[in-house]
Amino acid sequence: MRKQLLTTTLVDQVHEQIMDYIKENKLVPGNSLPNEVQFAEMLGTSRNVVREALSRLKMIGLIESRTRRGMILKEFSIFDSLKNGFDPIFLGENSLLDLLGFRVSLELGISDDIFQNMTEEDINELEEIVRFGVMLKNNEYALGSEYYFHAKLYEITGNQTIAQFQKLIRPIMVYIKDNFKAYFEPINLELKNKGLIVTHADILKCIKERNLAEFKNKLENHFLVYKIFIREKRGTSKRIRTEQYLSLKSPALMKDKFFHPNDFSSDNSLD
Amino acid sequence: MRKQLLTTTLVDQVHEQIMDYIKENKLVPGNSLPNEVQFAEMLGTSRNVVREALSRLKMIGLIESRTRRGMILKEFSIFDSLKNGFDPIFLGENSLLDLLGFRVSLELGISDDIFQNMTEEDINELEEIVRFGVMLKNNEYALGSEYYFHAKLYEITGNQTIAQFQKLIRPIMVYIKDNFKAYFEPINLELKNKGLIVTHADILKCIKERNLAEFKNKLENHFLVYKIFIREKRGTSKRIRTEQYLSLKSPALMKDKFFHPNDFSSDNSLD
DNA sequence: TCATCCCATTTATCCTACAAATTAAATTAT
DNA sequence: ATAATTTAATTTGTAGGATAAATGGGATGA
C-alpha cells in the first residue's frame, strides 16, 4: 500500500471510495457513516489518509461531523459547496469576464420564469426595493440596491439554485465593479448620452404592465454596459475551442460516437 | 492550541489562513508555496492539520503538489473545481430540478451572444453535427448528438466558463433522462400531437437564416419539455423565500442597508 | 423519579517515523 | 575535462500511535 506510481494519490482514491460507499449503501441525508477507524480498516489505509479525504467532503458540505456523534450525510447543494474557500482574487481575468457574462446570460434567460411565477406581492416588494434604491450616478446603483433587486427577481423564479449562484458570485460582481470602474464610467456616459440607460424603475414598469417583450428589451439594455465592457476587454483575443469538440473533427468518428450514446459515461476521451 | 469551542475547526482556520497567505503575498499561478512544515510552523499547528487544509485546496485545483518539487499555485476555475467528487446521486430532487431549470435558462440567455459571434465555419460544423445526429423517438436525441449540438452553441459564445458548466452538469442531464423517462414520454407525445416538437435541424435553420427572434422562439420550444416537466414535478410545492430577503422586511432596515453599500463585505446577516 | 457524576466513544489534534520521488551534488568513468 | 552514474538531500505521501475535547449514555445516589 505504499506505491504511488499513478498520478492519483491515495487520498484521491479514498475520496472516491468513500463516495462509492455512500452510493452503494444508498445512504440518504441524515444517515450516519462509519467512523474514521472503520473506514481506515475497510479501505486498508491509515486513519490520516481517511481524514484527509473526509476533510474534503466536509468542505463541500457532503458530510458533517461532530465529536462523539460521528459523521452524517448532508443534503448536497452544488453552489453552496463552493462558498467556502473561494475568492475572486484567485480568478484570472478571463474567468472574471466569463462569469460576468455567465451571470448576465442567466438573468436574461429567466425572464419567462419570472413572468410565469410572479405574484402581486412580489411586485409590491420590488416596488419597495426600487423605492429605497439609491441612485448614485448614471446607472451605477448602490451595490445593496442592485443586489436586492436582482435577488428578488431570482427568488421569483422559485429556483433556489439560481439564488445560491447569485450569492456565490456576488463577491465577483463587487470585485469587478471595484477593479474596472474606469472602464464602466465612459461606457455609462455614452449610454446616457444615447438615452439607453435603463433603471430598475424602468424594468419594474414593464413588470407592472405585464409586458414581457419590453421587459426582455429593457433588461438587455440594463446589462448593456456589461456586454460592452466584456467585448472591449476581451478585444481581439481569439475564441478558444473546447478540446472535446476538436477531438471529433472526423465525421466518421463522430458518427461512431453518436450511434453508441450509452457508452458516454465511461468515455474519458470526451471529458 | 487544543481548544475547539468554536464551530470552526482548526483545519477550517488553516484553510482560510493559507488562502490569506496567498492573497497577502500576491502569489500568481505558477508561484511556489512554502512547504508543509513551514506552513505548520508559520501557523503554529501540526503538519497534519496543514495537510488536511492543503488537501482541500488540491481538490478544488487551487494548488498542485509533487514530491520534492513542492507546491505551486494553479489558475483557478470555478466549475472545474467541482468536477472531482461530484455525482448527481448526492443531489436531492429539488436540486436536480433546479439545475435543469438553471441550464435551460442559461442557454435561452445566450442567444444574442451566439448570433453576435457565430461564423460561417460554426454554422458548417453545426450542420455536420445535425447531419450525424440520430433521431431516436420524438425529440429525444441520442445523448451524444444532444450534447455536441449544445456544446457547439456554448462554444460559439466564446465563454469557456459556460462550456465548463455544461461539462459539469452533463452527468446530471444524463441522470435526469435516465430516471425520469416515464415523465418525458407523455409530455413529448403531447407536444408532438400539437406539432410543437422542435428539432436541432429546426434550430439550425433559424441560425442559417440569421433569424434571431425565431431562433429564440424555437429554442424555447425545444426546451418546452423540460419546462413542463419541472412544473409538473414541483407540483404545488411552495416557493421558498431566500433568507436574506426575508431579513429585510422592514423598510427602515432596508434603507439603512442601502445607504451603506460598502459595508456589505463584512455583513454576515445577509449571507 | 430525578439530578448528578462517571465512563465510553468518536472526532480533533499532535507527534514521530519512514517511503517514494525527484532535484542537486558528488563521484567515477571515459 | 566532460559525460555518465551514484549518492545525498529535500519534500510530499503514508503509517501508526497518543492525548484532548466533546458528548451520549449509563451508573449512582438522594
Side-chain angles (χ1 to χ4, degrees):
Chain A
M1 262 310 158
R2 295 192 184 182
K3 295 279 174 61
Q4 193 231 345
L5 311 176
L6 316 152
T7 48
T8 65
T9 171
L10 234 189
V11 175
D12 292 326
Q13 295 171 35
V14 169
H15 175 128
E16 282 283 335
Q17 287 172 311
I18 292 174
M19 294 207 303
D20 287 345
Y21 175 91
I22 296 169
K23 278 197 273 187
E24 280 159 20
N25 292 78
K26 301 192 202 306
L27 300 187
V28 297
N31 288 159
S32 62
L33 284 80
N35 65 38
E36 295 174 351
V37 276
Q38 285 174 317
F39 266 129
E41 284 169 10
M42 192 189 306
L43 304 175
T45 64
S46 74
R47 194 176 150 228
N48 239 322
V49 169
V50 171
R51 275 190 63 83
E52 275 191 39
L54 289 172
S55 185
R56 295 177 172 190
L57 299 178
K58 285 171 202 165
M59 179 184 63
I60 64 172
L62 188 62
I63 64 173
E64 202 179 64
S65 64
R66 283 186 219 152
T67 46
R68 164 76 199 186
R69 273 195 65 180
M71 295 175 288
I72 58 169
L73 192 65
K74 294 266 292 180
E75 168 101 29
F76 182 75
S77 173
I78 189 163
F79 291 128
D80 277 355
S81 75
L82 277 170
K83 70 174 187 298
N84 299 320
F86 173 63
D87 198 298
I89 204 103
F90 298 132
L91 295 170
E93 188 168 293
N94 277 329
S95 284
L96 283 173
L97 295 176
D98 276 357
L99 280 166
L100 179 59
F102 192 110
R103 178 253 154 113
V104 169
S105 292
L106 178 65
E107 191 154 340
L108 291 174
I110 60 174
S111 304
D112 297 86
D113 290 334
I114 291 171
F115 271 65
Q116 187 105 47
N117 288 3
M118 67 182 178
T119 66
E120 279 300 321
E121 197 191 348
D122 292 327
I123 294 172
N124 290 337
E125 290 182 6
L126 278 172
E127 275 198 304
E128 212 174 340
I129 292 169
V130 170
R131 197 176 315 130
F132 285 99
V134 188
M135 184 92 131
L136 288 182
K137 42 183 169 175
N138 301 333
N139 71 345
E140 291 177 33
Y141 278 90
L143 289 180
S145 170
E146 182 80 21
Y147 181 74
Y148 285 118
F149 183 81
H150 293 283
K152 180 62 191 171
L153 292 183
Y154 290 144
E155 189 217 296
I156 292 173
T157 66
N159 188 319
Q160 286 183 270
T161 299
I162 291 179
Q164 287 163 8
F165 177 73
Q166 191 209 15
K167 268 201 268 187
L168 180 71
I169 63 159
R170 180 170 150 196
I172 294 170
M173 297 302 293
V174 173
Y175 182 86
I176 289 174
K177 292 195 180 192
D178 283 352
N179 287 269
F180 300 105
K181 200 172 294 214
Y183 286 87
F184 289 123
E185 277 171 0
I187 298 172
N188 274 325
L189 201 63
E190 195 184 336
L191 290 176
K192 192 179 179 183
N193 291 338
K194 289 182 180 170
L196 288 173
I197 297 287
V198 172
T199 66
H200 288 171
D202 297 328
I203 295 168
L204 179 57
K205 187 159 168 284
C206 304
I207 293 176
K208 285 163 76 175
E209 293 169 353
R210 258 74 171 182
N211 190 336
L212 177 55
E214 190 61 13
F215 174 80
K216 285 182 177 179
N217 191 1
K218 290 291 183 192
L219 204 57
E220 235 167 77
N221 280 330
H222 184 62
F223 286 132
L224 201 52
V225 56
Y226 294 131
K227 291 240 177 185
I228 292 171
F229 165 70
I230 292 170
R231 206 175 318 147
E232 282 186 1
K233 205 80 185 64
R234 277 208 212 285
T236 56
S237 70
K238 267 285 173 226
R239 207 168 76 211
I240 299 172
R241 303 185 162 276
T242 50
E243 332 80 275
Q244 85 255 31
Y245 194 71
L246 273 179
S247 71
L248 52 70
K249 276 292 186 183
S250 151
L253 175 63
M254 185 153 65
K255 193 173 171 184
D256 205 45
K257 294 281 178 208
F258 285 7
F259 273 109
H260 303 89
N262 291 332
D263 293 345
F264 265 86
S265 44
S266 58
D267 183 354
N268 296 332
S269 67
L270 298 161
D271 291 336
Chain B
M1 262 311 160
R2 294 190 183 183
K3 295 277 174 61
Q4 193 229 341
L5 311 176
L6 314 153
T7 49
T8 65
T9 171
L10 232 187
V11 176
D12 293 325
Q13 296 170 36
V14 169
H15 175 129
E16 281 285 334
Q17 287 172 311
I18 292 175
M19 293 207 304
D20 287 344
Y21 175 91
I22 295 170
K23 277 196 272 186
E24 281 160 19
N25 293 78
K26 303 191 198 308
L27 300 187
V28 297
N31 288 158
S32 63
L33 284 79
N35 67 38
E36 296 175 353
V37 278
Q38 285 172 317
F39 266 128
E41 285 169 10
M42 192 189 307
L43 304 175
T45 64
S46 75
R47 192 177 150 223
N48 236 321
V49 170
V50 170
R51 274 189 63 83
E52 275 191 39
L54 289 171
S55 186
R56 295 175 170 190
L57 299 178
K58 285 171 201 164
M59 179 184 62
I60 64 172
L62 188 63
I63 65 173
E64 203 178 63
S65 64
R66 286 188 214 150
T67 46
R68 164 76 201 184
R69 270 195 67 182
M71 296 175 287
I72 57 168
L73 192 66
K74 295 265 290 181
E75 168 102 28
F76 182 75
S77 172
I78 189 161
F79 292 128
D80 278 355
S81 75
L82 278 170
K83 68 173 190 296
N84 301 318
F86 173 63
D87 198 297
I89 204 106
F90 298 132
L91 294 170
E93 188 168 293
N94 277 330
S95 283
L96 283 173
L97 296 176
D98 276 357
L99 280 166
L100 179 59
F102 192 111
R103 178 252 153 116
V104 169
S105 292
L106 179 64
E107 191 154 340
L108 291 175
I110 59 173
S111 303
D112 298 86
D113 290 334
I114 291 171
F115 271 65
Q116 187 107 45
N117 288 2
M118 68 185 180
T119 66
E120 280 300 321
E121 197 191 349
D122 291 326
I123 295 173
N124 290 337
E125 290 181 8
L126 278 172
E127 273 197 306
E128 212 174 341
I129 291 169
V130 170
R131 197 177 313 131
F132 284 99
V134 189
M135 183 93 132
L136 287 182
K137 43 182 167 174
N138 302 334
N139 72 346
E140 292 177 33
Y141 278 90
L143 288 180
S145 170
E146 182 79 24
Y147 181 74
Y148 284 118
F149 183 80
H150 294 284
K152 179 63 191 172
L153 292 184
Y154 291 144
E155 189 217 295
I156 292 173
T157 66
N159 188 319
Q160 285 184 271
T161 299
I162 291 179
Q164 288 164 5
F165 177 74
Q166 191 208 17
K167 268 202 266 186
L168 180 72
I169 64 159
R170 180 170 150 195
I172 294 171
M173 297 303 293
V174 174
Y175 182 87
I176 289 173
K177 292 197 179 191
D178 284 351
N179 287 270
F180 300 103
K181 199 172 294 213
Y183 286 87
F184 289 123
E185 277 170 359
I187 298 173
N188 273 325
L189 202 63
E190 195 185 333
L191 289 176
K192 191 180 179 183
N193 291 338
K194 290 183 179 170
L196 287 173
I197 296 287
V198 172
T199 66
H200 288 170
D202 297 328
I203 294 169
L204 179 57
K205 187 161 168 282
C206 303
I207 292 176
K208 285 164 74 177
E209 293 168 352
R210 259 74 171 182
N211 189 337
L212 176 56
E214 190 63 12
F215 175 80
K216 286 182 177 179
N217 190 2
K218 291 291 184 194
L219 203 57
E220 236 167 76
N221 280 329
H222 185 62
F223 287 132
L224 200 52
V225 55
Y226 294 131
K227 291 240 177 186
I228 292 171
F229 165 71
I230 292 171
R231 209 176 315 149
E232 282 186 0
K233 206 78 186 62
R234 278 208 212 283
T236 57
S237 70
K238 266 287 172 226
R239 206 169 78 209
I240 298 174
R241 302 185 165 276
T242 51
E243 332 81 273
Q244 83 254 31
Y245 194 73
L246 272 181
S247 72
L248 50 71
K249 275 293 184 181
S250 152
L253 176 63
M254 184 152 67
K255 193 173 172 186
D256 205 45
K257 295 280 179 210
F258 285 6
F259 273 107
H260 303 89
N262 291 331
D263 292 345
F264 265 86
S265 44
S266 59
D267 184 354
N268 297 331
S269 67
L270 299 161
D271 291 338

